[in-house]
Amino acid sequence: QVQLVESGGGLVQTGGSLRLSCAASGRTFSTYVMGWFRQAPGKEREFVAVVDPSGGSTYYANSVKGRFTISRDNAKNTASLQMDSLRPEDTAVYSCAARLDRGLRIAILPEEYDYWGQGTQVTVSS
């Protein structure tokens, strides 16, 4: 089992920034694909960003490209999501997810992930 705990959510005004963090258990964090997803009330869970196990490759949803940056620190078992130029439509519960390394290094579908955190609320005022 892998446990993931998100932190860093909060209330921010339009144009502001937040940095989310995901702390992971386990001794093999450096082998996990790490992704961020979000879900707003009444909407489906939406892919946000993903980083491969080494941190060398990333992929972003078009809606956040150029504004958000995903990263990881394998020495600290953490993944982060830096969110800049926030907009009201970014308001959602943000969850991190881990995929155990089975060969697929970039994953954008929820069903491709094995473990999920509890989520952290991000609210952007309009």
Side-chain angles (χ1 to χ4, degrees):
Q1 286 277 16
V2 175
Q3 292 183 327
L4 307 173
V5 180
E6 302 96 334
S7 61
L11 175 64
V12 65
Q13 63 184 344
T14 297
S17 297
L18 284 173
R19 185 176 181 87
L20 306 183
S21 181
C22 175
S25 67
R27 301 174 182 175
T28 57
F29 177 78
S30 62
T31 72
Y32 307 160
V33 175
M34 295 298 299
W36 285 95
F37 292 78
R38 66 188 183 185
Q39 187 168 25
K43 294 188 176 181
E44 294 293 313
R45 184 165 48 192
E46 177 187 26
F47 167 76
V48 175
V50 60
V51 59
D52 78 341
S54 72
S57 296
T58 60
Y59 184 76
Y60 299 90
N62 288 337
S63 58
V64 307
K65 194 174 300 181
R67 300 187 298 120
F68 291 10
T69 303
I70 189 171
S71 61
R72 66 193 298 154
D73 187 339
N74 287 342
K76 297 181 178 179
N77 277 26
T78 59
S80 298
L81 185 70
Q82 177 67 42
M83 305 184 295
D84 299 319
S85 301
L86 284 163
R87 307 165 180 167
E89 53 263 43
D90 295 319
T91 295
V93 173
Y94 284 70
S95 299
C96 67
R99 175 183 169 86
L100 304 183
D101 187 4
R102 303 189 290 277
L104 182 64
R105 312 305 281 245
I106 296 292
I108 64 172
L109 301 177
E111 56 264 38
E112 293 174 326
Y113 287 83
D114 300 298
Y115 300 100
W116 294 82
Q118 83 287 353
T120 186
Q121 177 70 46
V122 171
T123 302
V124 184
S125 62
S126 60

